[in-house]
């Protein structure tokens, strides 16, 4: 086990054991690309080869391109091309099942490979203990996968309803490599039903954002769409704090934000709702929200997080048009009709009926919200402001 700067430690270790080649899993984040390039350069000076292999995606960086040889910036044609290439490349692919043979691999190491330093504790390398509700490791991953396989058929019908067990809950395992993307794609293709098809499409969205980040690394710091790089955001810090704390006065938004802070996870439909509210209702720069999600999400992935936020903000590739603005009350009524999700995370409103709970301030008679705040802003008013903001730049 080595703990230190990759540019120093990896070349030093490779030289010590007289390695002919160093192999690593290829990454697509700008910081990781720069790190790997620096390591490769150091190895080259020592006469050691460097090889990056495909690992976290099915079809890497430039394998799915337009007929003009350019990266896709629209999902639907990318998906069509991805499916065609994947079918060709993995036509006869089967998952490995001979685990017994792997277990027989010799584990003895020559003297020069012996441990250089003691195994560091998590605290030694800067991690802090957390109590969020997500089990890690391959055993937990396989249990979560088995659970989803039993209900994959219903994925298309249930995935948008946060109070129902409709999504896969596998994103963190994909993020940390405790599940293989190739295995998941194989299972989706084998299932061959409507739910599996929609789930496969979501896996392809993940790859779409990965390749997009690789080809357009500048999106980490700025909007992909040039005309929206200098929008006059209001950036009210008090409003941002209310959004972070789940006290905006819009129950579905606050329930989503409280789910995030209590579990390190947020339902995908609610990620869109919460992001849209921050950008289009509170008129706060999408990068503020992106950074907050990056700190909070257990399944944080730079490409997906950046892509999702720019989609919601109408500033990215294949983004939602700026004039399509989520109405948080309408979203609540449609996707949490009985208010079950709101009651779980906003207990102040648990006593309200299924109609009132979505927008208590609209009730014909005053209701006791037990300390829950009134709406921070008027959605209709803020919607017009958002439209004006984008029209000015568009």
């Amino acid at each position: 086990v080595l703990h230190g700067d990759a540019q120093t430690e990896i070349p030093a270790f490779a030289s010590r054991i007289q390695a002919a080649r160093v192999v690593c899993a290829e990454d697509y984040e700008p910081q990781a690309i720069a790190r790997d390039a620096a390591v490769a350069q150091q190895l080259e000076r020592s006469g050691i080869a460097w090889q990056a292999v495909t690992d976290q995606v099915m079809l890497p960086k430039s394998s799915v391109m337009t007929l003009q040889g350019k990266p896709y910036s629209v999902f639907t044609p990318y998906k069509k091309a991805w499916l065609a290439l994947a079918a060709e490349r993995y036509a006869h692919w089967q998952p490995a099942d001979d685990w017994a043979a792997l277990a027989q691999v010799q584990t003895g190491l020559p003297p020069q490979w012996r441990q250089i330093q003691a195994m560091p504790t998590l605290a030694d390398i800067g991690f802090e203990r957390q109590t969020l509700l997500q089990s890690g490791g391959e055993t937990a991953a396989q249990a979560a996968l088995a659970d989803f396989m039993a209900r994959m058929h219903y994925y298309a019908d249930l995935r948008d309803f946060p109070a129902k067990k409709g999504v896969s809950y596998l994103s963190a395992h994909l993020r940390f490599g405790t599940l293989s993307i190739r295995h998941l794609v194989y299972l989706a293709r084998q299932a061959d039903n409507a739910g599996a098809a929609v789930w496969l499409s979501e896996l392809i969205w993940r790859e779409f954002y990965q390749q997009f980040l690789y080809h357009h690394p500048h999106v980490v710091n700025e909007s992909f769409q040039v005309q929206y790089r200098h929008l006059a955001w209001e950036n009210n810090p008090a409003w941002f704090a209310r959004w972070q704390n789940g006290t905006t006065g819009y129950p579905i938004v606050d329930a989503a934000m409280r789910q995030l802070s209590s579990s390190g996870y947020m339902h995908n439909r609610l990620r869109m709702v919460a992001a849209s509210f921050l950008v289009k209702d509170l008129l706060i720069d999408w990068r503020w929200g992106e950074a907050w999600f990056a700190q909070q999400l257990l399944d944080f992935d730079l490409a997906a997080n950046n892509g999702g936020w720019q989609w919601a903000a109408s500033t990215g590739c294949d983004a939602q048009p700026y004039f399509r603005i989520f109405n948080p009350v309408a979203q609540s009524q449609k996707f949490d009709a009985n208010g079950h999700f709101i009651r779980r995370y906003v207990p102040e409103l648990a006593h309200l009926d299924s109609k009132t709970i979505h927008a208590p301030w609209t009730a014909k008679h005053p209701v006791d919200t037990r300390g829950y705040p009134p709406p921070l802003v008027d959605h209709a008013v803020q919607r017009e402001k958002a439209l004006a903001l984008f029209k000015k730049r568009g």
Side-chain angles (χ1 to χ4, degrees), residues 2 6-23 39-50 111-113 116:
L2 297 172
Q7 187 175 347
T8 301
E9 299 293 345
I10 293 176
F13 181 64
S15 296
R16 174 170 177 161
I17 63 172
Q18 301 177 338
R21 174 175 303 181
V22 171
V23 183
V39 171
Q41 187 178 48
Q42 289 292 101
L43 290 169
E44 185 179 354
R45 291 171 180 167
S46 302
I48 301 173
W50 167 266
Q112 66 267 33
W113 282 72
I116 293 177

Side-chain angles (χ1 to χ4, degrees), residues 207-235:
E207 303 227 341
F208 174 68
Y209 282 144
Q210 291 276 350
Q211 64 87 31
F212 189 80
L213 177 64
Y214 172 78
H215 289 289
H216 305 280
H218 64 278
V219 299
V220 171
N221 299 310
E222 63 184 4
S223 298
F224 172 66
Q225 296 192 33
V226 178
Q227 69 270 33
Y228 299 138
R229 288 181 184 171
H230 301 288
L231 291 169
W233 304 109
E234 294 186 2
N235 290 340

